[in-house]
Amino acid sequence: MSSQFTDEEMLAGRRLFERPWTFLMGVPSLEFLPPAGPVEIAFAGRSNVGKSSLINALVRQNGLARTSNTPGRTQELNFFITDGVPLAIVDMPGYGFAKAPKEKVEVWTDLVFAYLQGRATLARVYLLIDARHGIKPVDETILAMLDAAAVSYQIVLTKLDKIPETARPKMIAATQAMLAKHPAAFPQLIGTSSEKGIGIDALRAAIAALLAERAAP
Ligand code: GDP
């Protein structure tokens, strides 16, 4: 998984996330979006998938993205930026909270779909999938939205430490096989554990490589 990156990309990735990242704003509906400009990468996933932990691990700042035990609470697109680099990280609201009222699901759907469809500066969505569960029916809505909006996206497996090392190749292969049906999906996955620091450098390298590609004049 991490072998797909050169030493230079790995170094660029580490450098990118040695910088201090700050919270810019939470966007509850599209009229509040910040002006388009920087390359945007967005993180999506079911509530509790480990999204806040992954963003915090990525930027090496424990408190940046809120880790929360009340899944489904935040319904905003949260923007994070760093000085001097034209990149913004967008933390998308989690989905799949079984007890969420219908109106909340509708607000989520409208906001997320409108953002995915209309944001030309959105370079890639990282869709987080719990390594213990793989892609589940709860993930089908976002997969369908990503395919419909033709946004380039890549699966990031989270909590890899929770499955034995011997079981990992099988889970990765099974998830990759499911992606064959999704044309906008990257064929390769990035396996991570925020807790054990697995795959974080690979994700940083992937982002640095994407930024280099998109921000090039
Ligand atoms: P979010 O709702 O997607 O933002 O998920 P959080 O980041 O708040 O994480 C949900 C729960 O999973 C918390 O109890 C975290 O401590 C735990 N968690 C997150 N990442 C990992 C990981 O890599 N390994 C393990 N074992 N637990 C994790």
Side-chain angles (χ1 to χ4, degrees), residues 46-53 67-68 159 161-162 193-195:
R46 164 182 78 68
S47 299
N48 220 35
V49 71
K51 185 157 55 63
S52 312
S53 303
T67 45
S68 158
K159 309 189 190 183
D161 61 287
K162 291 226 182 193
S193 161
S194 307
E195 201 153 295

Side-chain angles (χ1 to χ4, degrees), residues 8-23:
E8 262 172 47
E9 285 166 339
M10 296 294 279
L11 183 64
R14 275 199 294 276
R15 291 227 170 105
L16 184 58
F17 292 101
E18 269 161 8
R19 322 171 61 85
W21 284 77
T22 52
F23 174 67

Side-chain angles (χ1 to χ4, degrees), residues 44-56 65-72 74 91-92 94 128 130 132 157-162 192-198 200:
R46 164 182 78 68
S47 299
N48 220 35
V49 71
K51 185 157 55 63
S52 312
S53 303
L54 187 71
I55 293 172
N56 289 338
R66 269 171 296 177
T67 45
S68 158
N69 287 323
T70 49
T74 46
D91 184 5
M92 299 181 82
L128 275 44
D130 190 316
R132 291 169 301 176
L157 293 177
T158 59
K159 309 189 190 183
L160 209 57
D161 61 287
K162 291 226 182 193
T192 67
S193 161
S194 307
E195 201 153 295
K196 303 282 182 218
I198 302 167
I200 307 297

